[in-house]
Structure formats: C-alpha cells, structure tokens
Amino acid sequence: MNFSFFMREVWRSLSRNAVPSFAAMASVLVTMLVLGAFIPVMQMANAAADQTRDKVFVSVFLKNDATKTDVARVGKTLEGAPNVKSVQFISKGQALKEQKKVDPEAFKVLGDSNPLPDAFRITPKDPDEIPAIMAALAPTNSAGAQAPIDPKIDEVKNARETPKLLGVMNAIRLGTGLLAFLLIGSSILLVGNTIRLSLFARRREVEVMKLVGATDWFIRWPFVLEGLIVGLLGGVMAILVLLVAKTALLGPLETVPVVNGLSTLSFALLAGVLMIASVAVSALGSGLSLRRFLKV
Amino acid sequence: MQPVGPPARSAALPHDPRNVIELRHVAKHYPDGTIGLEEATMNIRRGEFVFLVGSTGSGKSTIMKLLSKQLEPSHGTIMVAGRDLADITRKRVPYYRRNLGVVFQDFKLLPNRTVYDNVAYALSATGAGRKEIRAKVPDILRLTGLSTKLHQYPDQLSGGEQQRVSIARAFVNHPPLVLADEPTGNLDPQTSIGIMQLLYRINRAGTTVLVATHDHHMVDEMRRRVIEVDRGRIVRDEAAGMYAAGEQTTDEFGAMMRDVEVGRVRERLDHLQGASDDELLWGDRPEADR
Ligand SMILES: Nc1ncnc2c1ncn2[C@@H]1O[C@H](COP(=O)(O)OP(=O)(O)OP(=O)(O)O)[C@@H](O)[C@H]1O
Ligand SMILES: [Mg+2]
C-alpha cells in the first residue's frame, strides 16, 4: 500500500499526540529496564542454584570390619541402585586427609588412630531423588531405625544441609519463575493500558475515518507503525541505560566470581530479546487495542 | 402451514431497477426501547431530489444512519442500488460507504486535521493518490467557500464553516448518492441557499440526493418531493410538497409569516444574481443551470 502516506500519518500523529506517545514510550522504557535488570539476576540465581545442586550427595558409611570384598560388593550394589548418577569410594585414609584439611586442630589429638569408616559418596541423577535413594538403600523398619540392604553398611546419610539446601534452591527457582511471570504480565498490562488510553482519546477520530469509507487496515497501519516506532525508541533507550548501568556497576566487580558469571552472559542476546519484546508488545498492543474502536 | 410474520421482501414488492433506495417495512428500535422508525416503506428513484422533513426526534437521522449502515434495522429490508444492506459484510462496509456522500448532522470532522486534510483524508481513504487529491480538494473547497480557511483546524471554525467542510468532504468523491442530514442547520439563510444550490447542481449532474431538514423556506421554495416522518412513521410523501401538510398551512398567521420569510429569501436570490465570480458559485439560481 501507500507507505509514504502511512509514514506521514504516523508523523502527524506522533507530533500532534506527543504526550500520549511519550507516555507509551516511557512505559515501554520502564518495563524493559525492569525486565533487562531482572533477566540477568534470575539467570544468576538459577546458575548459583545449579552449582549447589552438584554438591549434593548421599554418603554410605561401612562398618569398621568391612573387608575389601565387602567394599567391592557394596560398591556394585550401590552402582546398580536406581537414580544413581555416580558412585565414588572414599577410603578411611582419604577421609582422614580430607577432614584434616578442614579442621587440622581437631585431628591432632587423635594422633595416628583413624576413627573414620570407609565410605561411598553417591551423586544422584537429580537432587530431588535423594530421599528415594536413601529409602532404597536403607529402608526404615517398624522401630524407625535404618535397616540397610547390606549387612556391612553401617549408615546411610545425606549431607547434613541437603534438605534445607534443596528447599532453598526450589524456592529460588519457584520465586524467580513467579516473579518473571508477574513481571511479564504486568508489563503487558502496563504497555497495553497506556496504548489503550491514547487510543481511547482518538476513538472519535477512528469512528469518523470509518464513516468516510476507510478500511480497517487503512486506519490500523499508521497505529501499528506508530506502536512500532514508539516500541523501538523505548527499547533502544532501555538498552542504552542498561549498558551504562552494566559498565558502571559491574565493571569494578569483574573479579568477583558470581558477578563474573553474570557479565559473561551475552549482553547482545539480552539486548536482542528486549528489542523484540518492546517492539512486539507495543506494535501488537496498538493494533489489537484498536479493534474495539473499529466496530463502527 | 402458512408462515406468519412480515412478508418476504421479494414477494411484497419486487426490486425496481430505477430505485436507488428502497425501504421495506423497516423498523428501528433502539436498545433502550425508543422507537426510531416503524413500518417505513418508501422508494427513491435514481436522480431524484428528496426532502425528509419532520419535527425533532421524528426519525430523520435514524433513516440516514440506517442508509449509511451506522445502524442495523430491527425489522425489514433496506436496499440501496438493488443491494440488500444486510448482505454487506463488515469488511465490505467501507467500500459501500465510498459510494455515499454523507453530510452528518454533527459534522464529524477529524479534530486534529486542517480543513484541507479533512477533505483529503476522505479522498485518500478511498485509495486516491496525491495527484488526484491535489486536483480535487482545492476545487471542492472553493465551491463550498472555504478557500481562505484551508489551514484552519475545526475548532478554529464557526459552526457554519464546519458544516461546509462536512459538505465538501461528502461531495469530493462525486458519489452517486448523497445523504445530507441538516446540511443547513447552522447556516444563515443566504449561505443555506448556496448549499441548497450546490446540492441541486449535484443532483442535476445525476446524483440522487436525500436531504433531511427543518428549513421551511427551502423546502417550500424548491418544490421537490417531500417525505414527512412523524414519531418514526412516514406520514406523507408528496411529489412536489410543501414543508407542512396542507391543512396545517391554513393557519393565517403562520401563512403570513411564511410569506414574509419567503419574500425575504426571494429578495436575496435576486440580489445574488448580480454577484461576483466567487459568490456566483453560491448564488447562481437553479434556473441558471439549465
Ligand atoms: N442511539 C440512540 N439510542 C436511543 N434512542 C435514540 C438514539 N438515537 C436516536 N434515538 C431516538 O430516536 C428518535 C429519532 O431520532 P432521530 O435522531 O432519528 O431524530 P431526527 O428526526 O433526526 O431529529 P432532529 O431533527 O432533532 O435531528 C428520537 O426519539 C431519539 O431520541
Ligand atoms: Mg437528526
């Protein structure tokens, strides 16, 4: 169709409806700023949670009288258990070395004796499966005590903080997910509402256009183009602000590992996502909000 | 079993190709229960000039709105140029409206466009290019006496001037059917005559014209077909009628007043015969067209 006509229409509308256009642009800008700040934070939180997940394991302690054949047998049993990703054997000696590193003072008094048992460390396929693994290896009997499946297993334990940690991790994931959902929902409402307000002010204009024989698309194109331009401007401004904020705030913290992980997230990708989101929300918002007023 | 209800449209009266407008038992009941129109049946021939008269709230605008598909009838059929308006889909309505020149009672101008752009918009909405717009718009604006107001916005115009913009916009496409709802409602008698002359000239060029009006003098002077509506019903249809029905004009005082007024209008028409070029567009009498 007549592109230059539509562009002139857009220009007229932007210059004569400066305030609503500015409001729409500002709402796109604010929304994209919040989204743009939130997405990296969410990614960071999830990355941190994932790192913690890898450190979750189940320890299987053997009885002190376990022989080498016992160790080999138990190791096979454990490897064959469901939900097990890998099994690592930690001998008495290794365990002692590890513990000495953590707390040298405490082990000094023990001299050369080693009170630690041989142990296996099981990494689960999924941290959430830990209770299932424990139940499989050492079901609790009617008295409430563990009844290990192998007589040479003394005790099956998960790392002390595992349940708490799992809870925190899940809370983080759920929280960020919920927040993302709310944020996206409210940003659509905000942008949509701003556009609807500016269109409402022009509903009479749309009515007249229809009465003199303009088709829906003839009326809609300038609005969609206008939304596109408003979204583009808002998106570009949001990205510029984010870029400045990133260099100013995160630049000095480059050496901190967690933050470093954040800055390695591709900023270009984030910018692209924000750009598409702002243009799409704003252009679709204009085009769709208009529908109500086209029924003349 | 005999079907009960309003008779089928084709059975009641077959379409006559000479008719541009056909109303068959048309009723319009507004959602709040108000009756806008009831049992209206009428035909308007191609090339006719018809006045629609009736007191305030009688249903004139309702007829105009039904014809331009701003409203849907509650009952009955409306045919324009042989096409049943009920068959025109929402998508096709804009194309249908391009065949109509509608002068709205409340002008319906675009508030943030100049006089020129208001008229140009209507033209470009129909797909006209810039060249055509530049050729046609100044012409029609000159014809309606708006040459000096091209770049004013509607809120910078008087009521009468806004009305003229509405008229210019309705005529700029040279539509085959013109619906004018109170086109002289806000104009002084002299300008009213000009508008009526314009309508008349358009009609002489072959356009069918339907004018809703309260303007006694104009109706009586022009001696065209008059359709009178009263409380939603068509109560009179005379080939060359007066504004009011015969027995009502017997009131002596009223007749006297009207004679005085008609005399005044005649004076003005005479005066305009010797007018300058620009005024001529407004002032030339119907007879001068022949
Ligand atoms: N949208 C509406 N909703 C309800 N009633 C309406 C509506 N529009 C018009 N009416 C009613 O329908 C009747 C006819 O109205 P209409 O506008 O056709 O009158 P009119 O003959 O054009 O009057 P006027 O000469 O004052 O313009 C009136 O009683 C009016 O109150
Ligand atoms: Mg009316």
Side-chain angles (χ1 to χ4, degrees):
Chain A
M1 272 255 257
N2 192 343
F3 187 72
S4 74
F5 170 82
F6 289 134
M7 281 321 288
R8 268 180 286 130
E9 288 289 302
V10 169
W11 174 245
R12 173 207 304 283
S13 156
L14 283 176
S15 51
R16 290 201 57 96
N17 302 289
V19 172
S21 304
F22 182 79
M25 199 187 70
S27 75
V28 171
L29 171 66
V30 168
T31 304
M32 290 307 143
L33 274 183
V34 174
L35 261 183
F38 176 74
I39 288 175
V41 168
M42 189 179 79
Q43 285 193 340
M44 200 169 71
N46 276 332
D50 282 344
Q51 269 175 21
T52 331
R53 285 168 80 87
D54 293 340
K55 289 183 187 139
V56 172
F57 51 83
V58 177
S59 296
V60 177
F61 299 105
L62 300 185
K63 289 195 171 142
N64 265 331
D65 59 355
T67 61
K68 279 220 159 108
T69 38
D70 292 333
V71 168
R73 188 187 64 241
V74 173
K76 264 218 188 91
T77 317
L78 295 183
E79 261 161 18
N83 298 316
V84 171
K85 189 168 143 201
S86 65
V87 177
Q88 191 193 355
F89 177 66
I90 295 162
S91 67
K92 278 169 172 291
Q94 278 172 303
L96 187 66
K97 249 189 246 163
E98 251 179 55
Q99 290 302 316
K100 270 186 176 167
K101 247 190 252 162
V102 176
D103 191 358
E105 296 300 313
F107 284 88
K108 253 181 204 155
V109 288
L110 290 172
D112 281 341
S113 69
N114 182 357
L116 298 173
D118 285 329
F120 285 97
R121 184 175 287 178
I122 301 175
T123 310
K125 278 187 186 140
D126 185 332
D128 296 330
E129 301 293 351
I130 283 179
I133 291 177
M134 289 180 62
L137 298 179
T140 32
N141 59 20
S142 50
Q146 280 192 342
I149 50 168
D150 193 288
K152 291 296 175 192
I153 292 178
D154 183 38
E155 201 183 5
V156 177
K157 261 184 156 174
N158 56 8
R160 216 182 315 144
E161 277 131 312
T162 305
K164 222 203 261 170
L165 232 124
L166 279 176
V168 171
M169 267 161 47
N170 285 337
I172 287 177
R173 269 194 300 172
L174 199 75
T176 50
L178 204 72
L179 219 65
F181 182 76
L182 285 178
L183 208 62
I184 290 170
S186 67
S187 65
I188 288 173
L189 283 182
L190 177 68
V191 174
N193 223 33
T194 317
I195 291 169
R196 187 156 331 138
L197 271 180
S198 89
L199 283 183
F200 188 73
R202 292 165 69 181
R203 70 196 184 287
R204 259 192 62 89
E205 195 182 337
V206 171
E207 183 201 340
V208 174
M209 289 170 171
K210 287 234 60 179
L211 289 180
V212 299
T215 58
D216 286 358
W217 274 108
F218 188 81
I219 298 168
R220 193 181 274 138
W221 267 122
F223 281 95
V224 171
L225 282 178
E226 189 184 331
L228 214 97
I229 288 171
V230 163
L232 211 73
L233 288 178
V236 164
M237 275 167 70
I239 287 167
L240 285 181
V241 171
L242 284 175
L243 196 64
V244 168
K246 181 188 176 245
T247 21
L249 292 177
L250 300 186
L253 300 177
E254 202 88 321
T255 45
V256 180
V258 188
V259 178
N260 199 28
L262 169 66
S263 60
T264 52
L265 288 173
S266 169
F267 188 80
L269 187 72
L270 179 66
V273 167
L274 290 185
M275 209 64 227
I276 290 170
S278 55
V279 169
V281 165
S282 158
L284 275 178
S286 315
L288 291 180
S289 309
L290 197 59
R291 274 185 358 169
R292 249 162 46 102
F293 306 123
L294 283 172
K295 287 177 185 143
V296 180
Chain B
M1 268 233 306
Q2 283 290 311
V4 196
R9 82 178 102 99
S10 46
L13 264 171
H15 168 64
D16 181 338
R18 287 172 302 178
N19 290 338
V20 171
I21 297 174
E22 296 179 0
L23 264 63
R24 297 278 173 272
H25 312 288
V26 175
K28 176 65 196 178
H29 301 159
Y30 285 103
D32 65 355
T34 314
I35 290 171
L37 202 62
E38 197 71 88
E39 267 299 310
T41 297
M42 67 179 197
N43 295 321
I44 292 175
R45 292 266 163 95
R46 201 172 296 281
E48 257 190 307
F49 190 113
V50 181
F51 282 115
L52 200 55
V53 302
S55 53
T56 285
S58 53
K60 302 184 295 296
S61 296
T62 303
I63 292 179
M64 295 295 195
K65 286 176 185 166
L66 286 168
L67 287 170
S68 56
K69 246 181 121 66
Q70 284 170 264
L71 296 174
E72 295 299 321
S74 314
H75 303 288
T77 16
I78 303 172
M79 310 259 281
V80 173
R83 203 150 39 132
D84 188 342
L85 291 195
D87 293 341
I88 298 176
T89 58
R90 217 185 81 77
K91 261 199 137 130
R92 301 300 304 173
V93 168
Y95 302 96
Y96 165 68
R97 286 186 182 147
R98 291 175 193 179
N99 297 308
L100 308 180
V102 185
V103 181
F104 300 97
Q105 189 167 11
D106 52 353
F107 320 139
K108 294 210 189 293
L109 301 179
L110 296 166
N112 51 11
R113 277 162 214 262
T114 62
V115 167
Y116 183 95
D117 288 339
N118 258 282
V119 179
Y121 186 88
L123 208 51
S124 53
T126 65
R130 265 204 263 189
K131 227 176 173 181
E132 190 183 346
I133 289 171
R134 266 197 226 110
K136 283 185 175 173
V137 176
D139 253 14
I140 192 74
L141 287 175
R142 194 164 45 81
L143 208 61
T144 43
L146 289 164
S147 300
T148 57
K149 308 279 180 187
L150 295 188
H151 304 296
Q152 314 271 78
Y153 287 89
D155 57 8
Q156 299 171 321
L157 298 176
S158 74
E161 286 161 347
Q162 292 182 47
Q163 192 146 36
R164 288 199 223 168
V165 180
S166 178
I167 290 164
R169 185 181 58 190
F171 296 168
V172 72
N173 282 335
H174 298 301
L177 174 60
V178 165
L179 307 174
D181 198 351
E182 302 272 1
T184 59
N186 288 274
L187 302 178
D188 60 278
Q190 181 184 329
T191 316
S192 301
I193 292 166
I195 294 293
M196 281 302 169
Q197 304 300 343
L198 194 60
L199 283 169
Y200 185 79
R201 280 166 51 134
I202 286 167
N203 173 245
R204 301 278 313 211
T207 299
T208 311
V209 177
L210 180 60
V211 185
T213 186
H214 285 293
D215 194 333
H216 303 220
H217 317 126
M218 216 42 86
V219 176
D220 294 347
E221 180 78 359
M222 286 185 67
R223 292 269 167 187
R224 299 280 131 188
R225 180 173 167 198
V226 171
I227 296 174
E228 186 177 340
V229 203
D230 182 35
R231 276 163 286 174
R233 288 179 185 272
I234 293 176
V235 294
R236 180 163 68 106
D237 188 346
E238 284 173 12
M242 302 284 280
Y243 181 82
E247 60 254 18
Q248 284 165 312
T249 61
T250 52
D251 177 55
E252 272 189 26
F253 184 69
M256 189 186 75
M257 287 303 288
R258 194 169 52 252
D259 285 346
V260 170
E261 286 295 316
V262 169
R264 271 192 208 142
V265 172
R266 287 225 170 87
E267 263 169 45
R268 283 202 193 90
L269 283 171
D270 292 341
H271 167 74
L272 283 169
Q273 274 202 309
S276 71
D277 212 31
D278 205 34
E279 274 176 312
L280 197 64
L281 289 165
W282 291 94
D284 62 12
R285 306 185 59 180
E287 290 83 357
D289 249 69
R290 277 173 214 158

